[in-house]
Amino acid sequence: MVKCLDNRYHRGTFIHTRPNYMTDTITIYKQIYPIQCPKLAELGYRALINIRPDNESETQPASENIAQAALEAGLAYIYLPFDDERLSLKTIEQFAQHYHTLPKPILLFCGTGARAKLLYQSALMQDLL
C-alpha cells in the first residue's frame, strides 16, 4: 500500500496535506508540483494522471514540467485535461483505458481533487473500472 503524501511544496514551503485514497490502486489528490515527483516515486506511486488544464491559475506548474519531473523520477505520466463543464463519455473512457494499462498505484490529480474524484466516480458508474 502507498504511504501518505505528507507534504506539498508550494512557493518554497512544504505544506502538510493528505490525499483522498480511493483504493490500493489509485489515489485522488490536488495539484502536485514537479519537486514532489521523486517523493511520490519513493512512496511507491508508479504513475501520474494530470487532468488539470494548463493555465487555470498563474501559480500552477505547466504539465510539461510535471511530465519531465515524472520521467526523471521513473513515473509514468498522462496528461488528460478537462474542466468541470466538459467531462464527456470519451474522457471517461480514455481515463478508464489509462487506468487499466498504467502501472499501479496511480496518483490522479487536478487543482483541488474535486474533478479527479468526479472522473473516477464517473468511470465507476459507467462500469469501466
Side-chain angles (χ1 to χ4, degrees):
M1 177 166 224
V2 173
K3 297 176 187 175
C4 178
L5 175 64
D6 290 327
N7 297 304
R8 185 180 117 190
Y9 187 80
H10 181 67
R11 295 186 184 176
T13 306
F14 279 100
I15 302 168
H16 182 73
T17 58
R18 290 216 173 271
N20 183 3
Y21 290 108
M22 300 306 286
T23 70
D24 286 344
T25 61
I26 193 162
T27 299
I28 307 301
Y29 200 58
K30 57 187 166 183
Q31 181 67 60
I32 67 163
Y33 294 83
I35 197 167
Q36 291 175 287
C37 289
K39 182 68 172 177
L40 291 167
E42 180 184 313
L43 291 171
Y45 289 99
R46 298 190 57 217
L48 306 175
I49 301 177
N50 177 4
I51 62 170
R52 187 176 191 187
D54 277 341
N55 304 313
E56 273 193 332
S57 78
E58 293 179 13
T59 60
Q60 88 183 71
S63 59
E64 62 196 31
N65 294 340
I66 299 171
Q68 182 61 41
L71 177 67
E72 291 170 6
L75 297 166
Y77 180 81
I78 299 294
Y79 182 55
L80 183 64
F82 78 93
D83 64 32
D84 289 333
E85 298 174 6
R86 293 185 179 90
L87 179 57
S88 66
L89 181 57
K90 180 180 178 182
T91 300
I92 296 167
E93 290 170 341
Q94 288 174 325
F95 162 69
Q97 180 180 17
H98 291 306
Y99 175 85
H100 290 295
T101 59
L102 286 169
K104 312 292 186 293
I106 298 167
L107 182 77
L108 173 65
F109 69 94
C110 61
T112 65
R115 270 179 293 196
K117 187 173 182 180
L118 173 65
L119 179 58
Y120 175 75
Q121 290 175 333
S122 297
L124 285 175
M125 289 172 47
Q126 294 292 326
D127 204 25
L128 297 172
L129 302 181

